[in-house]
Amino acid sequence: MFVSHSEQNNRLQKSSIKLLGSILGNTIRQVEGDEVFEKIELIRILAKGYQWSAKDEQSELLSALGSLSDDELVPVVRAFTHFLHLTNVVERHYEALHSDQINGSELATFDYKGISKAIDHINIELVLTAHPTQITRRSISYKYTEIEKCLTMIDRLRAEDTRFEDTAVENTAAYSTVADRLSELILQLWHTPEFREKKPSPKDEAAWGLDVIETSLWQAVPQFFRQLDTWTLRTDIAFLASKVQPLSFVSWMGGDRDGNPFVTASVTSQVLLMHKRKAIGLYTKDVQSLIDELSFSRCNQYLADLTQHAKEPYRHVLRDLRDLLKQSALAIDEKIEEKKLEHDLVLNNIEQLHDPLLTCYQSLMDSGLQVVAQGKLLDTLRRVQCFGLYLMRLDIRQDSARHSQVIHELINYYDLGDFNTWTEPEKQQFLLSELKNKRPLIANAWQPSSDSQEVIDTFKVIADQSSAAISAYVISMAHLPSDVLAVKLLLKSCGVVDDIPIVPLFETLDDLQASADVMDRLFQLPEYKSSLNGRQMVMIGYSDSAKDAGMMAAGWAQYQAQEKLLGVGEKHNVDILLFHGRGGTVGRGGAPTHAALLSQPPGSLLSGLRVTVQGEMIQAQLGSSTLACKTLLNFSDAVLRANTQPPPNPDDNWRELMDKIADSSYKHYCKVVKSSAGFSDYFYAATPIRELATLPLGSRPAKRYSQG
């Protein structure tokens, strides 16, 4: 009898859920006792039939719940919580196995062979953020990952055993070994507190982000690139030599100081060292693995001459590279521990890592050893291109008011007036004149406030880094051109040489609607436009605009803002890269990735895609290598479709209707949320917002730090 892939997948999924549920039940019986287990089982059975049961049967469930003592409530709640989480693990595992499907869209239906050029120019940048919706501890996430590995082993055993219908595989020694491991992991989960005892520090959050790279993305990225190779039917040496980065990762963990006083200049500096140290450790393992395998002498003339005809030329090159990595690791360890430096930090640019690997790759290709070249060595080259020296570059984010405060204090020190009372043209005139001025803006004798000193210290940290470490400077609550010019002036005054992208973030409804005008006025300034190299990044805020105007009005404002920004960019011959600050929930701009990208305005993805992956969505989308690979393919497929088969421009009738809907929605939202007496009391009574605020979820305070 023929069984479809989908049907087989559903059967495996149900079988795995049943297995994990059974092990969880045994664990509860073992730890909490038979009486507690029987009550949990009774509640499970009653709840399962609640929807279809009669009123007297429904009251039986309510009675069972009401009879629980305080001591019994916790294990009952934990039992159902763990079961739901384990079910999510199973569903995520089997969803990821559908690697040939993206949100119901078959990859095979898209003609990738004809869009090789579009693939070569694809530019996807995922920005990982430590938003305090990430409730799952790293310890628990690790156990979920291990459980997924066990499910993969069981899938293999079932695939190898044609008698799966008779569950014969469950009687094998191999299956028992995996089941024992699952029992161990679920017992560990039961004894592991779900919540942290104290809030994580920004460095803890950064370490969690690096764990995602090591445990998931390190394997997923080569898999992703191999799929791109399949789409284009080639692996191109020119592509490898070009050092193009079609995919890269950025982090806000340790760089996002907006509303978080615990992210200081010192923390940012330490996090960058953590990034580089982790990268060197991962690359060292890769290089050592290549040394173990590339043990032969056949090579091209260039490699032979380079190694003075060594018997094992590949090992000769790779051992030198390994020694370079190890020495750099020692130097970073000394800096992290603030010891006296005894080692030079010799790995300073990506070419030192990339070029020896590419030399070996080219030699293998020239010597008829293409199969070897396109194995582990190719995977390592792809990692180097994607992750660079820092695995994830860091964005710096700060509120515009903090920059204005620094300028205000400086102007007050020089007795030039009150910056905060100046008109926008007056502010621009001053900032532009100071950008041209060759004398230092910041006097040695000036004593800034502690807040302003922290802002200046952050700019000095940026000045000490290369563009390989810092990706962009994001200005929260950007309102006017002077907000951008203030950052540009402070970067210059603190010694930042590289033209780091300055990214205004438009968050409120008013700011979204004014964003195109703000950028138009900026592009009209020759002093600003000449520094752009023809490219400007603009961030669109989703959560704050939704809170400000409601989801419908905010969504329409976001769409229109993107259209107008693209028009302004075209007018001034500037490529606009739109940076989407999406979250996981609908209220934070969350939506199915594929559909969300295809719903963007035509042409909005031509310059690339930059989007945040916030909090819990990191685990949901990138939590395992298989899942992460699917997510990356999901993004790529949507971007390619949007750029080669763009959606139509909305006609005037559609726009008029959306204007009316958005306006009506906005008025209704404001009436309910902003004008209704007692809404605030209702909100706090109907939601667990106060309780959530007390949980140690993230390093950022529950309420954003505000200027005094």
Side-chain angles (χ1 to χ4, degrees), residues 14-84:
K14 289 178 181 178
S15 179
S16 295
I17 290 173
K18 182 179 178 181
L19 171 63
L20 295 185
S22 175
I23 294 174
L24 176 62
N26 292 336
T27 300
I28 294 170
R29 188 190 293 274
Q30 172 189 339
V31 177
E32 304 294 338
D34 290 339
E35 184 177 350
V36 171
F37 171 78
E38 295 299 337
K39 287 189 176 183
I40 292 171
E41 187 64 9
L42 173 64
I43 291 169
R44 184 187 71 81
I45 293 171
L46 292 173
K48 193 173 181 180
Y50 180 91
Q51 184 176 1
W52 312 109
S53 60
K55 287 187 177 180
D56 56 338
E57 293 173 312
Q58 294 175 359
S59 64
E60 188 178 353
L61 172 61
L62 297 176
S63 175
L65 292 170
S67 67
L68 294 173
S69 67
D70 290 346
D71 290 337
E72 292 170 331
L73 274 173
V74 173
V76 168
V77 171
R78 293 189 72 222
F80 286 100
T81 299
H82 277 299
F83 180 73
L84 290 173

Side-chain angles (χ1 to χ4, degrees), residues 515-524 528-529 532-538 560-578 603-604 607:
S515 60
D517 179 62
V518 170
M519 299 313 299
D520 185 43
R521 290 152 68 188
L522 271 171
F523 294 156
Q524 290 179 41
Y528 180 76
K529 184 180 177 183
L532 294 178
N533 297 317
R535 188 175 178 83
Q536 171 72 55
M537 191 188 307
V538 179
Q560 290 178 304
Q562 292 180 62
E563 286 186 313
K564 292 175 182 177
L565 285 166
L566 293 171
V568 168
E570 185 176 0
K571 170 184 172 183
H572 293 279
N573 197 28
V574 175
D575 287 336
I576 301 293
L577 174 59
L578 295 167
S604 61
S607 295

Side-chain angles (χ1 to χ4, degrees), residues 184-204:
E184 176 190 356
L185 289 167
I186 291 175
L187 182 61
Q188 290 178 16
L189 278 172
W190 188 261
H191 284 291
T192 300
E194 286 85 353
F195 303 111
R196 308 174 183 90
E197 292 185 4
K198 60 181 182 179
K199 293 173 75 70
S201 71
K203 289 197 286 187
D204 291 333

